[in-house]
Amino acid sequence: MQIWFAVALAAASCAGPAMAQTVPDPGPVYTLEQALRIGGGSAPAIDAATAAIDAAEQAQAVAALRPNPQVQAQIENIVGSGAYQGLRSAETTLGIAIPIELGGKRGARGAVAGAQLSRTRIEAAVIAADLRLQITQLYVGALAADRRVATAREQARIATEALRVATIRVEAGRASPLERQRAEVARLNAEAGIERAERLAAAARTNLARRTGQPVIGALEDGLLDRLPPDAQGPAAPVTADGTLALAAAQVDIAVADAGVRLARAARIPDLNVGPAIRRLEATNDTAAVVALSLPIPLFDRGRAAIAQASAERTRAAAQARVTALDVAQAITDAQVQAANAATTARTAAGPALAAAQEAARIARIGYREGKFGQIELLDVERTLAETRLAAIDALADYQNARAQLDRLTAAAPLAEKP
């Protein structure tokens, strides 16, 4: 009987190297940078942001245009009585009304359009940063799902081996048939776990492919999940919110509000309309020049309310920028702590805790084969190992997601768009 256990132990010890030698080549690796590059070039959100920039550029071009002149025609002294019957005394005037903007309205409109264009470009950068975060999180999720599949398959292999050993023990009369039944249940649960993990992995890849617009084929960058920062002592150095996308957007809002105040002040100056024309007298067949000038009288609307409104908007934008600076700084601090804590948890879960669980499982398997441990102890240790492996995967994924969130919060605004 000891020979049987020696054979079983040797087979178990050789199973790992044998499996490692028969693993097929996964082929080209689909990296995170590839996913980011593909997703950034085909995402509908990027197309929408590009169209918004084009629209803002056209709005800036429109703001620089002068008002269009108007053609005016007027016929007087017709269809009257006496000498004014019919068209005999008609006076026909044909001219052009040319509006002349005063007060720098065109420049003020251009300033508003330019500030809005800067705001649109900042928004496009925000959309690109958000898309990068989404793709990174989806990639990390797909990577973690693939590793959970591998863990489920390993647990199924262990359960199959445990069933084989339990069968040997039962047939040798060293254990009750109940042990074989427990091992069979554990194997069936492990097989079901593989199916569930594979469905979740397929869904994760589908979501990643949907976001990038390209099917995810082949292996992912598995080593990405294990990239952890060095174990630093003490809290991380604080990161300021200066130059970040969120703060840049708030500061551009101030520039838009400043341009709005300038436009409201320029609107207080009335525009002059000049209308040169030519008048033809039907009775004498003579022509004469006519010049018309018109200037609105700011009697009821003097523009003070518009200036007050624009000034209030500027005050609101400045206050909102201060609030945004506080919020961004707080979010960065929280993200730093979350990433650091996630790194600590990942180091423990994927390092000492996992090594201890693996060693405990190894000892329990050997002891169970030799009859030193019962099946209940073995199943408990195997369950602990499976939970520890899944916890390690979750911890590694949590760190990568926390790091991606911190990178999103600290993403720098385009240099050209800094106000």
Side-chain angles (χ1 to χ4, degrees):
M1 189 58 59
Q2 293 179 352
I3 297 177
W4 279 102
F5 288 114
V7 172
L9 179 59
S13 63
C14 295
M19 289 182 63
Q21 293 174 1
T22 58
V23 173
D25 184 7
V29 176
Y30 184 59
T31 65
L32 174 60
E33 289 303 321
Q34 289 176 328
L36 292 173
R37 183 173 62 254
I38 295 171
S42 61
I46 298 298
D47 294 338
T50 302
I53 292 176
D54 292 341
E57 290 176 346
Q58 296 304 318
Q60 187 180 37
V62 171
L65 299 177
R66 299 178 182 275
N68 290 323
Q70 297 178 354
V71 176
Q72 295 181 343
Q74 184 178 6
I75 301 178
E76 302 177 8
N77 302 330
I78 61 173
V79 193
S81 60
Y84 299 102
Q85 291 181 357
L87 301 176
R88 289 179 299 176
S89 300
E91 297 181 2
T92 303
T93 304
L94 183 63
I96 298 177
I98 302 175
I100 300 176
E101 290 184 308
L102 303 178
K105 293 184 181 63
R106 188 158 62 97
R109 287 198 310 272
V112 171
Q116 290 175 343
L117 175 59
S118 298
R119 183 68 169 87
T120 303
R121 287 173 174 165
I122 291 293
E123 289 175 351
V126 169
I127 290 174
D130 288 341
L131 179 63
R132 182 179 182 87
L133 174 61
Q134 292 173 355
I135 293 177
T136 300
Q137 291 176 336
L138 289 172
Y139 189 93
V140 170
L143 192 57
D146 285 351
R147 190 168 289 191
R148 292 188 189 99
V149 171
T151 299
R153 290 173 179 169
E154 175 64 15
Q155 292 303 125
R157 185 193 67 80
I158 293 172
T160 301
E161 176 63 18
L163 174 60
R164 189 184 67 82
V165 174
T167 301
I168 294 175
R169 286 170 56 89
V170 170
E171 292 176 351
R174 301 187 60 181
S176 67
L178 184 59
E179 287 196 8
R180 181 164 53 188
Q181 294 300 321
R182 288 199 196 101
E184 178 65 20
V185 172
R187 186 190 67 82
L188 292 175
N189 289 334
E191 294 292 339
I194 293 178
E195 293 183 11
R196 291 192 295 268
E198 287 178 345
R199 291 191 189 98
L200 292 175
R205 285 178 172 249
T206 299
N207 289 333
L208 177 60
R210 184 178 292 114
R211 184 62 63 179
T212 58
Q214 177 173 311
V216 180
I217 301 174
L220 300 179
E221 192 178 359
D222 186 69
L224 173 66
L225 208 60
D226 299 316
R227 295 177 187 171
L228 294 175
D231 190 4
Q233 300 295 330
V239 178
T240 64
D242 296 338
T244 60
L245 279 173
L247 190 57
Q251 291 171 341
V252 170
D253 285 339
I254 298 178
V256 173
D258 285 336
V261 173
R262 176 184 171 185
L263 182 60
R265 289 174 177 170
R268 292 191 63 185
I269 308 301
D271 292 337
L272 177 66
N273 287 289
V274 179
I278 296 178
R279 175 171 296 179
R280 180 177 180 277
L281 304 173
E282 185 71 23
T284 60
N285 198 26
D286 293 327
T287 58
V290 178
V291 177
L293 299 176
S294 64
L295 187 68
I297 300 176
L299 181 61
F300 302 108
D301 182 8
R302 299 185 179 182
R304 294 178 180 176
I307 294 176
Q309 179 184 2
S311 299
E313 288 293 333
R314 203 275 179 198
T315 302
R316 183 198 63 79
Q320 186 60 47
R322 294 194 297 271
V323 172
T324 300
L326 295 175
D327 291 343
V328 172
Q330 179 179 342
I332 290 175
T333 300
D334 293 342
Q336 280 185 295
V337 174
Q338 184 178 0
N341 289 341
T344 301
T345 303
R347 286 193 203 96
T348 303
L354 181 58
Q358 289 173 336
E359 180 63 16
R362 187 187 68 84
I363 295 173
R365 291 169 199 148
I366 296 175
Y368 176 66
R369 296 188 191 103
E370 296 179 352
K372 296 179 180 180
F373 296 136
Q375 190 185 42
I376 300 299
E377 289 81 359
L378 176 63
L379 293 177
D380 183 64
V381 171
E382 294 291 6
R383 181 170 55 254
T384 301
L385 175 59
E387 292 174 352
T388 304
R389 282 174 170 168
L390 293 177
I393 294 172
D394 292 340
L396 292 171
D398 288 343
Y399 168 73
Q400 298 301 334
N401 287 329
R403 184 68 220 179
Q405 181 65 35
L406 180 59
D407 291 342
R408 166 62 186 88
L409 290 172
T410 57
L415 294 178
E417 309 310 325
K418 285 184 180 181

